[in-house]
Amino acid sequence: MCGIALKAVFAYQNANNWDNVHTVHSWVGFTTYLMFGLQWICGFLIFFFPKLSEDYRGAYMPLHRYFGLALFALAIVSAISGIQEEIMFHTEVPKGRKYNDRQLIGDIMGLVIVAFALIVGYLVTNKEYQRKEKSLENDDEKQPLAGTEMKQTSSGSIQAADP
């Protein structure tokens, strides 16, 4: 979906004879897009691939958490800089006024995004809201998805087979 959005942005800018990737918003957004792709691929391979040991998964988890939080921060910066770019480059202020309604809406949206980021940052970093580790030996949650055998019950639903 991000690829479709990037293609649309480049097509729109090319149609209007604008430069591509020339603002902080575009660079941060493009960096976020690339890092998200790498995060998704690495997470998929490490947590889905059945041959990797729990040690590798455990070693990668702190990096996965860090880059997840860093990607969230980059997305927030990209959103706020995009709003600011839109207000600065594409909004005219009527005579006799210091700002227009579009600027006010953009400022409010920026403040709401910052409040959202602060709340999410607090919840993610506060140990009270983190999932508790289970100490069960045969915990299905720690098993890779590809290694789980599935069976169909008499009612037609699908569930994990008993070990």
Side-chain angles (χ1 to χ4, degrees):
M1 187 140 170
C2 288
I4 295 170
L6 278 176
K7 183 177 180 188
V9 167
F10 284 120
Y12 178 76
Q13 289 177 345
N14 291 337
N16 289 309
N17 293 323
W18 294 348
D19 292 333
N20 291 315
V21 193
H22 67 285
T23 63
V24 171
H25 167 69
S26 57
W27 282 106
V28 171
F30 196 66
T31 302
T32 305
Y33 172 71
L34 291 176
M35 283 182 60
F36 175 78
L38 288 172
Q39 172 85 333
W40 193 89
I41 290 168
C42 290
F44 181 81
L45 291 175
I46 289 174
F47 296 116
F48 188 74
F49 191 63
K51 301 292 182 193
L52 288 178
S53 70
E54 187 69 29
D55 294 335
Y56 286 120
R57 291 186 180 101
Y60 179 68
M61 184 57 80
L63 285 173
H64 188 69
R65 286 180 181 156
Y66 168 76
F67 282 110
L69 194 56
L71 280 168
F72 179 72
L74 283 173
I76 296 298
V77 169
S78 182
I80 291 173
S81 62
I83 291 169
Q84 189 64 31
E85 181 181 310
E86 180 66 26
I87 289 171
M88 287 178 59
F89 295 145
H90 305 291
T91 304
E92 293 183 21
V93 178
K95 287 186 176 183
R97 294 180 67 182
K98 292 183 180 180
Y99 61 90
N100 67 15
D101 296 338
R102 193 175 191 180
Q103 289 172 320
L104 181 63
I105 291 170
D107 289 343
I108 291 170
M109 284 174 51
L111 290 174
V112 168
I113 290 171
V114 167
F116 172 71
L118 291 173
I119 291 169
V120 169
Y122 173 75
L123 294 174
V124 168
T125 58
N126 190 334
K127 298 258 187 234
E128 185 177 326
Y129 295 101
Q130 292 179 0
R131 182 174 30 178
K132 307 292 186 258
E133 291 292 327
K134 294 181 182 177
S135 60
L136 300 175
E137 204 170 283
N138 280 335
D139 187 8
D140 286 337
E141 191 172 305
K142 291 189 178 184
Q143 299 300 320
L145 294 174
T148 305
E149 293 183 31
M150 305 302 276
K151 69 175 182 177
Q152 189 169 5
T153 64
S154 59
S155 65
S157 64
I158 297 176
Q159 64 183 21
D162 295 331

